[in-house]
Amino acid sequence: MDTLTRRRFLLTSGVVGAGALAAGAGAYSLRDLLDTAGDRDPQSQTLVLVTLYGGNDGLNTVIPYSDPAYRAARPELAYPDSEVRRLDDDFALNPALEGLHKRWSTGGLAIVRGIGYPKPDRSHFRSMDIWHTAQPDRPGTTGWLGRWLDRAGGDPRLAVSFEPALPPLLAGERSAGAAVPVTDRKATKGLSADTLKALSAAEAGESPARARAAACFADMRSVDEMIREVRDSADPDTTDPDGDQAPATATGGAGTPLDAQLDLVAQCVEAGVSTRAFSVSLGGFDTHADEKQLQAVLLGQLDRALTRFADRMSRTEAGRKVVVAVYSEFGRRVRANASDGTDHGTASDMLLLGAGVRGGWHGDAPSLTDLDDGDLKYTTDFRDVYATLLERVLDTDPGPVLADWRGRLDKLFPA
C-alpha cells in the first residue's frame, strides 16, 4: 500500500498516533516478512484476529434454538430444530458452520457469549473504532495492538494486516503495523485465452442452441473484460460522490477471499517469521434485508477458511501455538425487520480456536426477553478477552495497553 492511501485511511478513521504515519507508513511485501524467518522465539505464540465487517448476526450464528422467544422474534429468520448443528440442548451453530461444529465436538472451539461494552453504539464506524482502540468511553488515537507494538519494539513486521488498508487497531503512538497487500500470490492456472476465445466463437453447421450459447459466452467475456479494464484503470485514491474514502469503510473488509489471507498467515507461521499478530477480515455482514441466505453464504466462507487454516496449523509445532479470535463490531437486533433482515444491534458472540484454547462456553448467554430497548444486554466486556489475549498469547502486561483493565477470562486458556 502506498503512503498516501495508508495515511488517508488512518486520518479518515480518526485513529492514528502522532508517530505512526512516519514509523509505519512504508509499504511492505510478503518477502519483507519472510526475511525475518527464524528470528522469533520458537516458544512464542501467534494471534490471528478475524474481523467480520458489517455487524454479524450473532443470534443466527450461535442459535438459541430451544428458546421460544427466538422463534417469536424471528418467525421467518429462525432456523428450525431440524436444520441447526446442535452444541447442547439449548444452543446450536448455523447450518453453514460444519467445520466449526466438528471442532466444538473435539474441544477445539471456544465461544464467548454476550460480548459487548457499556453504552453500545450502533454506528459501524464508531463501534469499530471502539473495538479497534479498546476505549468505549471515548475512542482515542491509537489501536490496542498498536499500543502493544509500541511496547514490543515498534518493528512494523511484528503486527501485520493482509487487508487493503492498515486497520486502526495496528496504529500505535510511535509506530504502526505493516499492511501487506495480497498480491504476491500466484493465481491458479485456468483456461488459456485461446481456449476461451474458441469457446465463444460460432462454428459452421452448429445448432441454434449451441450458437446462442457461444454468443452468450462471448458477451460474458466482453463484460468481464470491460469490468477488468475499469478496475485496473481506477485511481486507488478515488473518492465516492459523498467524499468518503471508498476502500476504507467499516463495513468493507478485505477485497481478497479470507482463505487467501489465511493462507499467507499460514506461510508466515510455518516459516517462523517474527510477526506475532495478524489481522485479516471478511466483509458483507450488514444484512438489513434477505439475511438468511446471504449470512449462510458468508458463514460458509468463514467456516471453510477457518477449518482449512486450523487443520493446517495443527500439523506443525509453530502452528499449534496459533490462536484465532473472530469478532464483529456488533450483533443485530433480536427482532427481525420487515425486510427479512435484521438491523444494527449490540451484544454478540466471539469465537476462538487453536490448540491452546480451552474449548466450550465462556461467559453468560444474554436473555432474549430482558432487553435494552429491543437489544441484548452484554454480559462479557470485550476488554476481558483482549486482556487475556495480551497476557496469555502475546506475553505482555495488559495494564499499559488497556488502561489498567482488570477483567480476564481465566478459563479461556489452561492454567
Side-chain angles (χ1 to χ4, degrees):
M1 168 177 299
D2 61 87
T3 301
L4 179 60
T5 302
R6 174 179 289 192
R7 182 172 307 185
R8 182 174 296 176
F9 176 78
L10 290 169
L11 289 174
T12 56
S13 298
V15 181
V16 59
L21 293 178
Y28 288 84
S29 68
L30 181 60
R31 174 49 54 192
D32 293 318
L33 303 185
L34 295 176
D35 284 344
T36 70
D39 288 353
R40 68 181 294 168
D41 180 352
Q43 299 305 313
S44 62
Q45 298 183 81
T46 302
L47 174 64
V48 179
L49 280 180
V50 181
T51 304
L52 306 181
Y53 282 102
N56 177 46
D57 182 4
L59 288 177
N60 267 12
T61 302
V62 181
I63 302 170
Y65 71 94
S66 70
D67 191 334
Y70 164 68
R71 220 165 302 282
R74 302 173 165 218
E76 301 298 326
L77 283 183
Y79 281 92
D81 295 1
S82 59
E83 293 183 11
V84 299
R85 299 187 181 274
R86 298 191 183 199
L87 301 174
D88 57 27
D89 291 339
D90 298 312
F91 292 90
L93 288 180
N94 187 284
L97 298 175
E98 178 182 6
L100 292 183
H101 184 253
K102 291 179 180 177
R103 300 198 73 80
W104 173 272
S105 65
T106 60
L109 174 66
I111 301 176
V112 184
R113 299 181 287 190
I115 203 87
Y117 55 87
K119 299 179 181 178
D121 197 296
R122 297 182 185 88
S123 161
H124 290 293
F125 303 94
R126 181 74 169 180
S127 187
M128 192 54 75
D129 275 354
I130 288 170
W131 275 86
H132 280 187
T133 63
Q135 296 168 325
D137 294 336
R138 179 179 295 179
T141 59
T142 58
W144 70 280
L145 280 179
R147 297 192 294 273
W148 165 79
L149 182 63
D150 283 342
R151 295 178 58 80
D155 185 339
R157 293 171 296 183
L158 289 174
V160 170
S161 167
F162 285 126
E163 299 160 277
L166 183 75
L169 72 95
L170 299 187
E173 182 64 33
R174 301 179 302 277
S175 57
V180 178
V182 188
T183 56
D184 293 342
R185 293 173 52 86
K186 294 182 178 179
T188 302
K189 186 177 181 181
L191 298 175
S192 67
D194 289 341
T195 300
L196 292 174
K197 183 177 180 181
L199 288 172
S200 62
E203 295 182 1
E206 65 185 357
S207 67
R210 287 179 177 271
R212 180 172 178 78
C216 289
F217 189 74
D219 290 341
M220 183 179 68
R221 289 190 66 219
S222 297
V223 171
D224 185 61
E225 185 63 27
M226 178 185 69
I227 293 173
R228 185 182 299 111
E229 290 174 358
V230 171
R231 181 195 64 205
D232 293 346
S233 62
D235 182 350
D237 289 325
T238 299
T239 56
D240 66 17
D242 295 325
D244 295 329
Q245 180 69 15
T249 66
T251 56
T256 51
L258 179 60
D259 56 359
Q261 300 170 67
L262 288 175
D263 181 60
L264 290 181
V265 174
Q267 291 182 45
C268 291
V269 171
E270 292 164 350
V273 303
S274 62
T275 309
R276 296 290 308 278
F278 291 94
S279 175
V280 297
S281 65
L282 177 65
F285 287 91
D286 196 15
T287 50
H288 288 277
D290 301 322
E291 175 187 308
K292 202 168 186 179
Q293 182 177 0
L294 173 58
Q295 190 198 24
V297 170
L298 293 170
L299 290 180
Q301 294 175 9
L302 175 69
D303 183 76
R304 289 187 293 274
L306 288 178
T307 300
R308 180 170 172 255
F309 178 75
D311 288 346
R312 181 172 174 178
M313 292 296 92
S314 69
R315 301 186 193 116
T316 65
E317 184 177 353
R320 289 188 288 272
K321 292 183 172 64
V322 172
V323 172
V324 181
V326 185
Y327 75 98
S328 194
E329 66 261 40
F330 45 61
R332 315 296 290 192
R333 291 181 71 79
V334 174
R335 185 167 297 279
N337 61 28
S339 301
D340 291 331
T342 51
D343 297 324
H344 301 174
T346 54
S348 190
D349 303 293
M350 195 169 181
L351 310 179
L352 294 103
L353 56 157
V357 173
R358 177 178 285 164
W361 299 115
H362 300 271
D364 298 322
S367 169
L368 270 63
T369 55
D370 179 18
L371 303 176
D372 180 11
D373 190 25
D375 280 322
L376 297 174
K377 296 179 180 179
Y378 84 99
T379 60
T380 304
D381 195 297
F382 74 90
R383 288 168 290 184
D384 291 358
V385 182
Y386 282 2
T388 306
L389 293 174
L390 285 165
E391 198 168 70
R392 300 299 300 272
V393 180
L394 296 180
D395 306 309
T396 196
D397 177 7
V401 177
L402 299 178
D404 291 324
W405 184 259
R406 299 299 179 187
R408 304 287 189 277
L409 287 182
D410 293 330
K411 297 182 180 180
L412 191 56
F413 295 94

